[in-house]
Amino acid sequence: MSNKVFELMKEMEHEQVVFCHDPKSNLKAIIAIHNTTLGPALGGTRMWNYASDDEAVVDALRLSRGMSYKAAISGLNLGGGKAVIIGDPSLKSEALWRRYGKFVNSLNGKYITAEDVNTSASDMEYIHLETKHVTGIPEYMGGSGDPSPFTAYGVFVGMKACAHKQWGSDNLSGKKILVQGVGHVGQYLVGHLVEAGAKVYITDINAERIKETSNKFPVEFVEPADMLSLDIDIYAPCALGATVNSETIPLLKCPIIAGAANNQLAEEKIHGRQLIDKGIIYAPDFLINAGGLINVAAEASGSYNREKVTKDVEKIYNRILDIFSLSEKENITTQEAAMRIAQKRIDDMANVKSRL
Ligand code: NAD
């Protein structure tokens, strides 16, 4: 991989990648900064037991690029960055987070971190002891806490926009919806869907999470291996990426895909086109899951207002409808349409910033 990192950075147009290592705290982290035209790169830190360092590098590069587009399309003045920590999440410690916090601090605000998969507001609290460049810290410390409720609300709102497009009504009552992954975001999403009167199916690989969700809400559990045989209205991927791929698309029986996971399409162009050919509406991941970023961006701005954040998250509805219109007009996939709008804002602002 070492001779390929620059090739990949060139291909995906990254500015900087930082490798952080501290054997004493068992820290192996990669901070990827994609584009800082709009502002400092903000993106969460994911902890995952990657099968290889190469896999971690590719994940950090893809996720950070997605953050640039997410911020740009959401009208935020932030760049795109993301960090991954290679290791078993059950072994995380105060020393690991504080050492990592020092690495974040060494970037002097060019990268601002937050929660992601397997990291929590209390982990951010440790990072905050070493750097102020961290968001999503607990409310009792003046932060906005876990961003997941806002991510889930944005997905819910975006799903309604998809329903409006597909069926002419955004009423989700009676719709059969599968939520894959009932973690931080998935559980809040299930709450909104149940409240809206949907028939909710859940799947997960974590027995504790399945039990928690089933105790809280009237849901039906489906084994992960059986989920593709379900006849449903909406599939909401809320676990990990690349679940929409050449194996799953032929089997999917749903007119809408709308969920929180990042990088849902294994191959953006190929699989985006296959979904159109199959008549499946796809809500671009980095647009529909931007609620959490909108929330932490407000926290980072220093003037946090929950009501204003909620209103800003609701703008996802119209943004999704705009993307569907552009996709149809230009005969491009919804992912390409969203990337085009995001890239245009980055280019426009680069031009504005280069002038007196
Ligand atoms: P999480 O770790 O809390 O939850 C993920 C859940 O998916 C877990 O319960 C896990 O057991 C389950 N899972 C993993 N592999 C699975 C599989 N193969 N089949 C079924 N379930 C599986 O993470 P989260 O914070 O809820 O985030 C979920 C997704 O949304 C991630 O892709 C994340 O990057 C994305 N996302 C999260 C936020 C946020 O605010 N937390 C914001 C934007 C995007």
Side-chain angles (χ1 to χ4, degrees):
M1 169 62 78
S2 57
N3 59 343
K4 273 199 169 168
V5 175
F6 282 106
E7 226 173 87
L8 285 171
M9 285 176 73
K10 187 175 171 199
E11 192 185 310
M12 290 193 247
E13 302 184 335
H14 282 76
E15 286 179 17
Q16 190 176 358
V17 177
V18 184
F19 290 83
C20 317
H21 182 225
D22 180 52
K24 279 202 173 148
S25 58
N26 230 350
L27 174 73
K28 283 206 285 179
I30 302 164
I31 301 173
I33 296 173
H34 178 252
N35 188 299
T36 54
T37 302
L38 298 176
L42 197 157
T45 299
R46 171 172 297 195
M47 187 160 187
W48 195 255
N49 223 345
Y50 289 97
S52 67
D53 294 354
D54 290 3
E55 200 186 290
V57 171
V58 171
D59 209 25
L61 292 177
R62 285 192 74 184
L63 290 165
S64 55
R65 186 183 62 152
M67 293 306 292
S68 292
Y69 295 139
K70 191 184 301 199
I73 205 162
S74 304
L76 301 171
N77 289 310
L78 288 169
K82 199 93 177 182
V84 300
I85 294 185
I86 303 167
D88 181 347
S90 67
L91 300 178
K92 56 189 182 182
S93 64
E94 176 185 356
L96 179 131
W97 290 123
R98 294 187 66 168
R99 190 69 191 91
Y100 173 64
K102 279 189 177 277
F103 279 112
V104 171
N105 200 51
S106 71
L107 293 168
N108 292 318
K110 189 173 181 187
Y111 169 66
I112 305 170
T113 197
E115 293 94 337
D116 194 64
V117 174
N118 288 325
T119 54
S120 64
S122 56
D123 299 331
M124 298 307 118
E125 202 174 330
Y126 283 133
I127 295 174
H128 188 251
L129 290 171
E130 306 299 337
T131 182
K132 61 180 191 311
H133 306 299
V134 52
T135 55
I137 54 174
E139 286 169 73
Y140 61 81
M141 288 176 69
S144 63
D146 178 13
S148 308
F150 287 98
T151 304
Y153 184 56
V155 172
F156 173 66
V157 164
M159 215 180 243
K160 284 171 81 68
C162 295
H164 175 83
K165 172 74 184 158
Q166 191 69 291
W167 301 304
S169 159
D170 65 12
N171 187 349
L172 297 178
S173 179
K175 296 293 180 204
K176 289 181 273 174
I177 304 175
L178 168 73
V179 179
Q180 179 192 32
V182 280
H184 287 96
V185 180
Q187 280 201 25
Y188 286 109
L189 177 62
V190 167
H192 289 298
L193 297 175
V194 167
E195 203 184 337
K199 159 85 186 130
V200 182
Y201 298 88
I202 61 159
T203 188
D204 203 296
I205 49 168
N206 180 322
E208 199 51 45
R209 293 248 164 102
I210 297 164
K211 198 170 143 201
E212 234 174 70
T213 316
S214 306
N215 285 343
K216 271 199 238 167
F217 305 106
V219 293
E220 194 170 313
F221 171 69
V222 185
E223 289 291 345
D226 298 335
M227 70 168 229
L228 290 169
S229 59
L230 276 184
D231 218 333
I232 45 172
D233 296 304
I234 304 176
Y235 163 45
C238 296
L240 293 178
T243 61
V244 182
N245 55 49
S246 300
E247 279 82 51
T248 57
I249 292 173
L251 302 172
L252 278 172
K253 286 183 251 159
C254 60
I256 293 173
I257 299 176
N262 284 309
N263 301 330
Q264 291 170 33
L265 304 177
E267 298 275 349
E268 281 160 8
K269 280 198 177 143
I270 299 170
H271 298 126
R273 178 53 61 187
Q274 284 178 4
L275 292 178
I276 291 181
D277 294 345
K278 224 185 145 179
I280 297 177
I281 284 188
Y282 171 71
D285 44 15
F286 63 83
L287 169 52
I288 195 170
N289 72 13
L293 179 65
I294 293 168
N295 184 59
V296 290
E299 179 185 332
S301 76
S303 57
Y304 184 74
N305 178 309
R306 231 178 160 78
E307 272 171 41
K308 165 89 168 62
V309 169
T310 304
K311 287 210 166 75
D312 286 345
V313 171
E314 284 167 355
K315 291 179 185 161
I316 289 175
Y317 189 104
N318 282 332
R319 284 193 191 116
I320 290 211
L321 293 181
D322 289 347
I323 291 302
F324 290 152
S325 301
L326 183 65
S327 150
E328 275 174 7
K329 187 169 154 242
E330 301 285 326
N331 189 23
I332 52 178
T333 68
T334 53
Q335 190 84 357
E336 283 172 300
M339 283 166 74
R340 201 176 275 187
I341 289 183
Q343 190 62 52
K344 181 170 185 322
R345 179 158 180 258
I346 294 171
D347 294 344
D348 286 352
M349 292 310 116
N351 180 43
V352 168
K353 288 184 177 195
S354 70
R355 311 280 162 144
L356 281 176

